[in-house]
Amino acid sequence: MGWPIAVGALLAVVIVLAVAYRPLGDHMARVYSSPRDLGVERALYRFIGVDPRSEQTWRAYLRGVLAFSLVGTLMVYLLQRVQPWLPYALGLPAPDPLLSMNTAVSFVTNTNWQSYAPETTLGYTVQLAGLAVQNFVSAAVGMGVAVALVRGFAARERSTIGNLWVDLVRGCLRILLPIALVGAVVLLAGGVVQNFDGFRQITTVAGAQQTIPGGPVASQEVIKVLGTNGGGFYNANSAHPFENPSGWTNLLQIVLMLLIPVSLTRTFGTMVGDRRQGLAILATMSTLFVASYAILTRLELAGRGTAPLLAGAALEGKEVRFGIPWTTLFATTSTTTSTGAVDAMHDSFTALGGMLPMLNMMLGEVAPGGVGSGLYGMLVLAVIAVFIAGLLVGRTPEYLGKKIGPREMKLASLYILVTPALVLLGTAVSFAVPAIRDSVTSTSIANPGPHGLSEVLYAFTSAANNNGSAFAGLTADTPWLDSALATAMLLGRFVPIVLVLALAGSLAQQGRVPVTSGTLPTHRPQFVGLLSGVTLIVTALTYFPVLALGPLAEGLR
């Protein structure tokens, strides 16, 4: 029964996304291209002193991103540190400074890494005014950066790539907020909790006392998945019945994670004037996604060992109300996007099965990736693929009418080196420096050996790629991991953004090269195959040696 359910689950998601693809993709193209502002938007622009008609160079756009993110980090940090004096603090103390810093960086970078149990650590004010706000604006920043790169491809001899503040306001008010409002109501109807009851004491059927934490879950749950954020209200995340009660809410959460990243490919095609280009990017993303889902499902259904054989699959750490196919679909979606939400414990997957979510992140989360970040990541890979094709045929590489010269290739090459360097360096330092190694092995790793290496590798992979999921056997709330993972999150978020915006500025300044008989067609299946191969070879092979020491060694022994 496993494979029919797996195919049916995938088809259900594809059908819903296919219905939304055209209207949402075209709507987002209009949002980011329209010269008209809503009344509430004009009021916001006046309040913050922004001229919505004034466009920015890539450097000005970048300064805005960095300044806005810095202010957001400081605000989230401050809210946590003054929590005992805030309303709806629920009597909870302030998290310690390092954990507060890690959490602030995590939510501002769209990572939502959580080294704590949210329901017993943060009160409602911090959850709503701090974390939920960042769930919206960090997603809007990613979408804005992606659209800025698209404008770079579409522009002709221009020095500007848009206005960050307009992109930010429109992304929140016209895209994220309307969908989140509808989605929250649907989740409420599905049984997701939404209250301000605090901690409720109940008597169980056995006569024991139990504390049940309530909270404004549905309103945070919807933007958690829609904005590919991932941080749950409860420590069990979407495996908790208060966050994800049933099979159809599980389906809804999967769809919401994919909705904007998939539809942005239509937005891309519309804005560059050739929707076939968007379909080619979508086909590449879909190929990688389906392959990952099929392999992960196969590995989990065929789990080795006595217990998996008796149960018919590897069911440890999974919710029986979802089963293997829906669990692997959720895990594939969460790690091919930058969401990081979980409806099962990835640490309990089979050894090789646990490698697949890790590999999805190592590919750069481009299938289809996070809101905005997936599109700009895949477009950078498309630039590299076009360059490789140009070398093979001896022509100057071009993509969408723009020449790919030395400057563009340097920026693209640096982009694909950033996250591997952060992941491998962070993991290596955790084990190579004696004092740090002793700290990690004695206080953080619950499973020594290859799996312990996998836990640390997964943590740095998740942080550097701004995913946020974890192998939960790792105790991450330690001075070293709080600091090192926060550094990986910051650099993994903002260094690529610097490079993408610089690439957008460089492309925008170019004119358009006319299409000739020798121009590489980038809308055909051949290019989809080339781009898929480049994505796998250029990124995944970088990690092969460390994967051989961790999940491969564990799975093959």
Side-chain angles (χ1 to χ4, degrees):
M1 288 296 292
W3 281 110
I5 295 174
V7 174
L10 184 61
L11 286 176
V13 171
V14 169
I15 290 170
V16 178
L17 292 174
V19 170
Y21 178 72
R22 180 172 180 174
L24 181 57
D26 289 347
H27 170 67
M28 289 191 290
R30 289 190 296 271
V31 165
Y32 290 113
S33 303
S34 172
R36 300 180 60 183
D37 300 311
L38 303 179
V40 64
E41 293 171 350
R42 289 193 292 271
L44 280 172
Y45 298 145
R46 285 194 296 270
F47 178 74
I48 62 178
V50 167
D51 177 7
R53 303 281 76 82
S54 174
E55 293 206 347
Q56 298 171 310
T57 65
W58 75 266
R59 290 182 176 85
Y61 202 103
L62 174 62
R63 287 194 296 269
V65 169
L66 297 178
F68 181 75
S69 300
L70 175 61
V71 171
T73 303
L74 295 175
M75 290 299 296
V76 177
Y77 177 82
L78 180 62
L79 283 171
Q80 292 175 87
R81 298 299 297 144
V82 301
Q83 175 169 261
W85 296 278
L86 297 176
Y88 288 108
L90 308 180
L92 297 171
D96 70 67
L98 269 180
L99 179 59
S100 297
M101 178 273 297
N102 181 281
T103 303
V105 167
S106 174
F107 278 79
V108 169
T109 58
N110 200 246
T111 309
N112 291 35
W113 175 272
Q114 294 172 295
S115 300
Y116 57 92
E119 66 269 36
T120 58
T121 304
L122 299 178
Y124 298 158
T125 301
V126 176
Q127 291 268 19
L128 293 174
L131 308 190
V133 168
Q134 289 303 318
N135 283 347
F136 279 94
V137 297
S138 66
V141 166
M143 294 162 66
V145 172
V147 170
L149 179 58
V150 174
R151 291 191 188 113
F153 281 111
R156 297 186 183 186
E157 298 180 350
R158 296 184 61 180
S159 60
T160 59
I161 57 171
N163 187 310
L164 168 68
W165 311 109
V166 173
D167 293 342
L168 188 61
V169 169
R170 290 184 178 186
C172 286
L173 295 185
R174 299 196 199 182
I175 300 171
L176 294 171
L177 192 57
I179 300 174
L181 286 172
V182 175
V185 172
V186 176
L187 287 175
L188 270 170
V192 178
V193 172
Q194 181 78 13
N195 59 50
F196 289 87
D197 288 351
F199 300 104
R200 181 178 295 182
Q201 299 293 325
I202 66 164
T203 302
T204 68
V205 292
Q209 293 296 308
Q210 185 173 353
T211 302
I212 304 295
V217 181
S219 58
Q220 187 158 321
E221 187 72 12
V222 66
I223 190 59
K224 173 190 98 173
V225 287
L226 177 65
T228 60
N229 296 283
F233 192 91
Y234 295 100
N235 194 36
N237 209 278
S238 289
H240 199 294
F242 286 2
E243 285 197 28
N244 191 9
S246 63
W248 76 262
T249 60
N250 198 57
L251 168 62
L252 177 61
Q253 293 193 21
I254 292 171
V255 168
L256 286 173
M257 283 188 275
L258 294 168
L259 186 62
I260 292 177
V262 166
S263 299
L264 273 173
T265 61
R266 169 84 177 189
T267 305
F268 161 66
T270 300
M271 292 183 70
V272 299
D274 186 353
R275 288 175 177 148
R276 298 174 302 173
Q277 302 294 337
L279 289 174
I281 295 296
L282 178 60
T284 305
M285 294 174 170
S286 301
T287 299
L288 297 172
F289 181 94
V290 172
S292 176
Y293 174 49
I295 295 170
L296 178 57
T297 302
R298 174 71 178 85
L299 291 170
E300 293 304 299
L301 284 173
R304 296 186 302 172
T306 303
L309 289 175
L310 291 174
L315 291 172
E316 179 194 331
K318 300 178 178 68
E319 291 294 309
V320 293
R321 68 183 188 273
F322 301 141
I324 295 292
W326 284 103
T327 298
T328 54
L329 181 56
F330 195 104
T332 302
T333 302
S334 179
T335 53
T336 53
T337 64
S338 65
T339 311
V342 296
D343 70 351
M345 297 301 103
H346 293 180
D347 202 25
S348 294
F349 282 11
T350 61
L352 297 179
M355 183 180 68
L356 261 296
M358 204 184 312
L359 189 58
N360 290 336
M361 294 184 285
M362 290 172 173
L363 289 179
E365 296 174 333
V366 292
V371 285
S373 61
L375 178 61
Y376 66 66
M378 184 58 82
L379 291 179
V380 169
L381 289 168
V383 167
I384 294 173
V386 167
F387 179 77
I388 293 173
L391 291 179
L392 293 175
V393 298
R395 285 184 55 88
T396 301
E398 304 166 8
Y399 185 51
L400 303 179
K402 299 300 178 81
K403 289 186 177 181
I404 308 303
R407 175 176 171 78
E408 289 76 24
M409 274 310 301
K410 288 175 184 176
L411 293 169
S413 300
L414 288 172
Y415 180 96
I416 64 171
L417 290 174
V418 172
T419 48
L422 293 172
V423 171
L424 298 176
L425 183 62
T427 304
V429 171
S430 296
F431 290 103
V433 178
I436 297 175
R437 180 181 65 242
D438 294 342
S439 169
V440 170
T441 55
S442 63
T443 62
S444 297
I445 296 177
N447 304 283
H451 194 75
L453 171 61
S454 297
E455 288 177 345
V456 176
L457 176 63
Y458 193 109
F460 280 98
T461 302
S462 179
N465 287 280
N466 302 135
N467 183 269
S469 63
F471 272 5
L474 182 74
T475 301
D477 186 16
T478 66
W480 162 248
L481 288 178
D482 276 339
S483 304
L485 294 176
T487 302
M489 287 185 273
L490 280 171
L491 296 177
R493 172 72 164 180
F494 294 112
V495 174
I497 283 178
V498 171
L499 298 170
V500 167
L501 291 177
L503 179 61
S506 178
L507 293 170
Q509 291 175 348
Q510 295 185 31
R512 185 171 293 273
V513 179
V515 176
T516 67
S517 59
T519 301
L520 174 69
T522 53
H523 61 277
R524 294 180 180 172
Q526 295 93 325
F527 183 72
V528 172
L530 173 65
L531 183 52
S532 300
V534 166
T535 303
L536 290 170
I537 294 171
V538 171
T539 57
L541 289 184
T542 307
Y543 296 98
F544 181 77
V546 72
L547 290 173
L549 296 174
L552 285 172
E554 182 184 6
L556 297 176
R557 66 181 180 180

